[in-house]
Amino acid sequence: MKNVKILGVSGSPRKNGNTDVLLDSFLRGAESEGADTKKIHLKEYSIESCIGCEACRKDGTCTRFHDGMELLYPEIEECKGIILGSPVYNYNVTAEMKTFIDRLYPFYVFTEQRPGPYSSKLEDQGRKALIFTVCEQVKAEEMGFALEALGMPLEALGYEIFDKFEATGYFSKGEVLKDESILKKAFEAGKNLAISLR
Ligand SMILES: Cc1cc2nc3c(=O)[nH]c(=O)nc-3n(C[C@H](O)[C@H](O)[C@H](O)COP(=O)(O)O)c2cc1C
């Protein structure tokens, strides 16, 4: 039997920051249940913003840019599980994460009728996602729309949101490392994701 594959995507521009540390815990949990994992740090990929040229509608993939997304599209297709994590920047996800999400547009299949119904090349395949956000402020409302900004597009693409996670009150780089309880929670969540994908 093939191992479950899970892709972890960090939207933080700060390497080894809180998002990275938490993502590592989610992935370690998934690995403890035999999942094959891969971690992507979006800042290390050169990814252009979608310009809405709609070429992907005709061509089936992005033919406008030849950039880091060419490496990521096959990984996304191959991995039944995805973990998206972003720090909160101004009540939302980071620019890196938003750019990545917009560039998932080629996975949509649109009808001729405009505006009209759409489907996704990723739907009905049992794909599941785990989403998490990290912020400095302690109150969850300071997260703004960040969690929805991760979850809604993934649902539209056909993922079931298996778990959501908000880590509040972490500011300095890697500060979350000191909080064993949240790291354990993340480990367990990753583990459960892997089990559910089997
Ligand atoms: C440009 C910018 C905007 C931010 N906006 C918010 C915010 O709206 N709410 C909040 O609680 N924290 C905000 N923060 C703090 C980060 O979310 C926090 O430091 C987080 O731990 C960073 O995660 P990282 O270490 O993974 O990069 C902001 C930080 C930066 C640099």
Side-chain angles (χ1 to χ4, degrees):
M1 202 171 71
K2 272 193 176 170
N3 287 350
V4 160
K5 291 190 176 164
I6 298 179
L7 185 66
V9 182
S10 166
S12 173
R14 186 156 72 163
K15 204 157 184 210
N16 302 321
N18 299 315
T19 309
D20 264 11
V21 170
L22 278 170
L23 184 55
D24 286 341
S25 293
F26 285 113
L27 293 176
R28 269 200 294 272
E31 286 159 13
S32 76
E33 286 296 328
D36 287 339
T37 69
K38 175 152 186 176
K39 183 179 165 191
I40 301 292
H41 196 241
L42 288 176
K43 194 70 188 165
E44 288 171 359
Y45 288 74
S46 164
I47 303 177
E48 295 286 341
S49 301
C50 177
I51 56 161
C53 69
E54 305 286 347
C56 58
R57 226 174 245 237
K58 181 168 58 72
D59 299 336
T61 188
C62 180
T63 48
R64 175 63 182 80
F65 296 115
H66 300 286
D67 60 9
M69 285 307 287
E70 284 184 328
L71 302 170
L72 299 183
Y73 289 133
E75 303 275 7
I76 294 162
E77 283 180 69
E78 206 184 320
C79 293
K80 219 168 155 194
I82 193 164
I83 304 177
L84 292 193
S86 178
V88 175
Y89 271 22
N90 291 301
Y91 308 102
N92 213 321
V93 294
T94 59
E96 286 79 2
M97 180 56 79
K98 180 64 167 63
T99 300
F100 169 75
I101 290 173
D102 287 345
R103 291 288 303 281
L104 300 179
Y105 197 59
F107 287 119
Y108 287 109
V109 180
F110 294 96
T111 56
E112 286 297 316
Q113 185 197 335
R114 301 305 306 161
Y118 62 88
S119 58
S120 162
K121 293 174 198 164
L122 303 175
E123 69 190 19
D124 298 329
Q125 294 160 21
R127 291 177 186 267
K128 296 187 187 189
L130 201 154
I131 54 175
F132 72 97
T133 48
V134 192
C135 85
E136 171 192 0
Q137 300 299 326
V138 178
K139 287 191 196 149
E141 45 274 32
E142 300 283 348
M143 290 266 172
F145 332 97
L147 208 57
E148 286 85 351
L150 294 177
M152 290 175 79
L154 287 179
E155 281 181 318
L157 283 163
Y159 287 86
E160 177 196 327
I161 305 300
F162 177 75
D163 206 353
K164 301 176 185 187
F165 209 88
E166 286 179 321
T168 58
Y170 303 100
F171 174 61
S172 309
K173 183 173 172 175
E175 191 182 347
V176 74
L177 260 178
K178 293 185 203 142
D179 189 340
E180 267 187 42
S181 72
I182 198 163
L183 297 181
K184 190 161 185 291
K185 237 173 115 183
F187 183 92
E188 289 300 320
K191 201 169 150 178
N192 290 335
L193 175 67
I195 294 170
S196 81
L197 283 166
R198 275 195 201 131

